[in-house]
Structures are given as structure tokens and as C-alpha cells.
Amino acid sequence: MLTLFRAARLLLCGVLGLLVSSAMAAETTEPVYELRIYTCEPGKLPALLERFRDHTCKLFEKHGMKNVAYWVPTDAPGAETKLIYLLEHSSREAAAVSFQAFRNDPEWKAVRTASEEKHGKILALPVESTIMVKTDYSPDIQPLRDGKTYELRIYTASEGKLDELNARFRDHTCKLFEKHGMKNIGYWTPVSEPEASNRLIYVLEHDSKEAGINSFKAFGADPAWKAVVAETHKNGSLTAKKPESVMMKLTDFSARQK
């Protein structure tokens, strides 16, 4: 009897261990995305783009980081000073390991030294980095299209209302964007606090900057959208402030469809 009890306990422990291992594996198989924003010294953006085009992107791939998209803003002053890009990592832990390996790579050290000797100090500010996960309603990211305008939008939800904001996008906003000619590229939320509790980050595709402006005007005037806003604002606004918006174009070295 005791032997049967021990066997049953061992079997139960094995099953529980398998379930825990499976759950851990599930947690680590979901990729994470990293939004990185560089701000250059005046006149140094071409030097930064040269370094990415000729070296950095290849070294990222070498160390397990997937280049998703690279943009520069279309409007000053960001058009002259900023590089905005998106990487994909297999996990948050992998991102840290990959960047450590990248920074320690003798090839990268040589590239950075040569670049700084040629161009001087390039970056004016520390790199802004946000690790994110896709929302459950985000489409799979496809190669972006040549000649299009892209818009990075960052929303800050009112306290405790990020879930409601995501629900509005999931159930209404994304469909209305498509109705008015805006293509949903990707939707993410940060993994670290405090942004994990109040931030929604997404990218739209427009035929042009002007088309994007006109699309948002039509979207804002749509009776269906006005009804959604009226319903979802019954207990106060879902956003704490006006969304941040940056119109962007692909760099010449960003992956794209023709």
C-alpha cells in the first residue's frame, strides 16, 4: 500500500513538474519587441545611418536580434536628429544577452571607434529603449512597404483604464482605422512598470503624411466613432493626455516590400 502511495506521489510530482515546465516554456516562447529611439548631435544623423546601414544591422542579426523596421521622422526637428527602430527578440532575457554580446563583440568595438574617429560624438542623448509585448489584437508584423508614411503613436491611459483602452481598440478602433484607410501595423504594451500599467504603443501605415491627416479627420468625424467615445467615456476619459504622434518614413536599409 505504501509503495502504491509513493508511486502515485511520484507520478503526481512528475505531472506537476511537466505542467510547470510547459508553462515556463510558453512564457519564454512569446517574442518581445524593443522600440529604440536615438537622438543625434546636430548634423550627425547621416553618420549614424551610415553606421547602421554598413555595420550595426548585420551585427544585430549576428547576435540573434531581428531587424523589424527602421524609420526617421518626416518633420523637423526629429527629421534631422532622430532614428527610430524596432527589434524582435525571442524573449526579454534573450534581449539582454544579445545586447551584451553585441557590445562585447570586437567587430562592433572597432566599428564604433572608427565611426567616432571619423565623425566625432554622434549621440546627443542616451538611447531610449522600451521592451514590449504584442497585444492580443495586434496583427502579425509584415514587411513594410516602400513609399508609405508610418505613424508612431503612444497613448498614456488614465489610471486603471489600460484594459478598457485596449478593449476599445480591440472591439472598435482598429476596424475604424482600416475603414478610413489606415493600416494597422502593430500594437504593443511595455513589460516594465510604470509603463506596463498605462502605456499603449502602436504603428499605422498611411499612403502619405497628408493621407494620414485626412484619414484621422474622417475617423474623428465618423458617427460610429463618436458613439464609441460617448459610451466608453461614461466613467471618464480612457486617456490621461493627448497621444504622442510621430510621422515617419523608412530608411533606405529597412526591410520592405516593393
Side-chain angles (χ1 to χ4, degrees):
M1 188 70 178
L2 186 59
T3 301
L4 287 174
F5 174 75
R6 286 175 175 170
R9 185 172 63 179
L10 288 172
L11 178 61
L12 178 60
C13 289
V15 170
L16 289 174
L18 181 61
L19 290 173
V20 170
S21 297
S22 298
M24 291 176 65
E27 288 177 0
T28 57
T29 54
E30 182 71 20
V32 299
Y33 295 84
E34 184 175 6
L35 178 67
R36 293 174 68 85
I37 301 175
Y38 287 31
T39 301
C40 298
E41 295 285 356
K44 296 298 177 70
L45 181 59
L48 180 66
L49 296 179
E50 175 187 282
R51 192 164 75 186
F52 270 84
R53 181 188 302 110
D54 296 343
H55 304 286
T56 311
C57 291
K58 300 181 185 75
L59 288 169
F60 281 170
E61 294 281 352
K62 173 184 175 181
H63 292 290
M65 297 178 273
K66 181 179 177 181
N67 298 296
V68 178
Y70 288 81
W71 301 278
V72 290
T74 60
D75 300 320
E80 301 162 358
T81 60
K82 288 189 183 295
L83 172 65
I84 299 169
Y85 66 97
L86 190 65
L87 298 175
E88 181 182 313
H89 307 282
S90 59
S91 68
R92 189 177 182 182
E93 295 74 19
V97 170
S98 292
F99 260 109
Q100 186 64 32
F102 166 79
R103 283 188 285 265
N104 291 334
D105 189 321
E107 184 179 355
W108 164 244
K109 291 180 179 180
V111 165
R112 183 181 60 190
T113 298
S115 177
E116 290 174 351
E117 288 177 351
K118 180 179 178 181
H119 300 290
K121 185 172 181 286
I122 292 178
L123 294 186
L125 298 172
V127 176
E128 299 175 51
S129 169
T130 305
I131 300 290
M132 314 176 296
V133 291
K134 286 201 303 184
T135 66
D136 59 3
Y137 55 87
S138 178
D140 291 332
I141 302 172
Q142 303 298 322
L144 304 186
R145 297 192 289 174
D146 201 24
K148 300 295 183 180
T149 293
Y150 292 87
E151 185 175 6
L152 171 66
R153 293 177 66 86
I154 301 174
Y155 282 36
T156 300
S158 299
E159 186 174 357
K161 294 194 174 183
L162 181 59
D163 287 345
E164 292 178 62
L165 181 63
N166 277 316
R168 189 167 75 184
F169 271 86
R170 183 187 303 111
D171 299 338
H172 304 286
T173 313
C174 291
K175 300 181 184 74
L176 288 168
F177 281 169
E178 295 281 351
K179 173 184 175 181
H180 291 287
M182 298 179 275
K183 183 177 179 181
N184 299 295
I185 297 300
Y187 289 79
W188 304 271
T189 53
V191 300
S192 298
E193 295 295 351
E195 290 83 3
S197 297
N198 67 6
R199 198 67 50 85
L200 173 64
I201 299 170
Y202 65 97
V203 174
L204 297 174
E205 180 188 276
H206 308 291
D207 285 337
S208 65
K209 176 185 173 181
E210 293 72 22
I213 293 170
N214 290 333
S215 290
F216 261 107
K217 286 180 180 177
F219 165 80
D222 191 322
W225 170 243
K226 290 182 177 180
V228 168
V229 172
E231 180 63 28
T232 57
H233 280 201
K234 285 181 176 178
N235 295 315
S237 175
L238 300 189
T239 54
K241 61 180 182 178
K242 183 179 179 180
E244 301 173 47
S245 169
V246 182
M247 290 290 190
M248 312 177 296
K249 62 181 180 181
L250 291 170
T251 66
D252 59 2
F253 53 86
S254 184
R256 64 186 69 199
Q257 296 178 20
K258 294 296 184 181

